[in-house]
Amino acid sequence: MATTEATLDAPQEAQAPQHVPHDKLVIMAWSGDLDKIWPTFILGTTGAAMGMDTTIFFTFWGLFPLVRNDVHVTGENWMQKMMSMMNRGGTEHLKLGKMNFAGMGPAMMKKLADEHHVASPEELLEVARDLGVHLVPCQMTMDLLGLTRDDLIEGLEEPAGATTALLEARDAVTLFI
Amino acid sequence: MNETIAITLDLKGLSCPMPIAKTAQAIRALRPGQLIESLATDPGSVPDFKAWCVSTGHELVEQTEDSGVFRFVIRKEG
């Protein structure tokens, strides 16, 4: 038993004094589901807290959590408008990837989170912005879904494309959520 | 230890990642070498504060536990 512990402890001790500077975290936030955007915000906030230069690219469904909660319908043509009605944006209107049960799932999840003092996506987003996380909306998705800059919350970077995302990701820990 | 603690944070009841995130927000106000004290009840904060110090270069000076409250004293790097 003692031998096992020693083996497990050894690499940790060797790593402990090393301070790894200049590391980066890039998250490609593809999903707008509550149970995916939540860990996205948790990891993004933590990355920035750890001193990592942290960027989150919001693309496809991942862009919807950045829609302002008071915006009801987005889009310029009827298809984009229909899409936004079937999938309303904003952190208050997110669905669960599984066990959604017409909104009962998210309500229960939020109640549990509240009871266990787990920070809400809104709180996490606020801390993330304060710690300097770069929140970058995908320009192509905005065009595709007819989202304008005014539909989205404050504090975002200028919209950008895949090249910007991949350039950032080149020397970064990269997650696709 | 008889050094002065510059800031004490009450993070009791908060879950991951808030104890670390709030400490990271607060430590910005300190000068290098100053001490911050964080009080948390999340058991996950024990490995997390260690990992955070390794990652940031801050020094975990003291870590104690008293009736479910974990106390971390951290010296700002630099």
Side-chain angles (χ1 to χ4, degrees):
Chain A
M1 201 58 205
T3 330
T4 320
E5 273 172 24
T7 325
L8 285 173
D9 283 344
Q12 282 183 345
E13 273 166 20
Q15 280 171 10
Q18 275 183 6
H19 168 214
V20 193
H22 312 306
D23 46 357
K24 285 168 72 178
L25 173 65
V26 169
I27 305 177
M28 310 289 178
W30 168 83
S31 172
D33 290 341
L34 178 65
D35 44 355
K36 294 216 176 64
I37 208 73
W38 216 327
T40 296
F41 289 160
I42 289 172
L43 289 167
T45 303
T46 306
M50 288 170 73
M52 298 172 93
D53 181 9
T54 304
T55 304
I56 310 178
F57 285 94
F58 296 87
T59 186
F60 281 83
W61 309 116
L63 203 51
F64 281 92
L66 297 186
V67 172
R68 286 167 33 198
N69 281 314
D70 59 344
V71 170
H72 287 257
V73 181
T74 55
E76 280 147 19
N77 59 48
W78 70 269
M79 274 189 291
Q80 291 169 340
K81 286 187 173 126
M82 279 279 282
M83 294 265 283
S84 78
M85 280 189 269
M86 288 186 286
N87 184 49
R88 185 171 172 189
T91 46
E92 288 171 9
H93 314 108
L94 305 177
K95 298 177 180 120
L96 283 177
K98 58 194 286 187
M99 302 194 295
N100 192 58
F101 300 129
M104 256 174 66
M108 279 160 65
M109 183 68 94
K110 282 176 188 170
K111 188 160 186 337
L112 282 172
D114 201 41
E115 281 170 11
H116 291 270
H117 307 284
V118 176
S120 67
E122 293 83 1
E123 282 176 81
L124 288 163
L125 197 52
E126 200 185 308
V127 177
R129 278 188 289 198
D130 181 57
L131 288 173
V133 175
H134 308 288
L135 306 168
V136 186
C138 164
Q139 179 68 62
M140 183 278 287
T141 311
M142 288 175 68
D143 296 341
L144 180 73
L145 300 171
L147 292 167
T148 65
R149 194 60 194 80
D150 290 339
D151 293 328
L152 304 179
I153 57 166
E154 300 290 313
L156 305 180
E157 307 282 330
E158 283 302 305
T163 309
T164 309
L166 287 181
L167 182 66
E168 276 300 310
R170 256 169 101 153
D171 54 349
V173 173
T174 307
L175 307 173
F176 187 95
I177 304 179
Chain B
M1 197 185 71
N2 46 21
E3 283 180 81
T4 321
I5 284 165
I7 301 178
T8 295
L9 295 178
D10 181 1
L11 308 165
K12 296 194 283 287
L14 296 182
S15 290
C16 171
M18 282 311 193
I20 295 289
K22 298 235 177 242
T23 306
Q25 283 181 306
I27 208 166
R28 294 182 297 192
L30 266 61
R31 288 189 303 276
Q34 283 191 304
L35 298 177
I36 189 167
E37 175 185 52
S38 292
L39 304 171
T41 46
D42 171 20
S45 62
V46 176
D48 278 2
F49 269 94
K50 275 186 199 155
W52 183 63
C53 287
V54 170
S55 159
T56 54
H58 303 310
E59 183 198 350
L60 186 56
V61 179
E62 220 180 286
Q63 186 222 303
T64 51
E65 194 244 314
D66 183 23
S67 354
V69 177
F70 302 99
R71 176 172 173 270
F72 305 92
V73 180
I74 295 144
R75 188 189 309 280
K76 183 168 177 167
E77 63 134 359

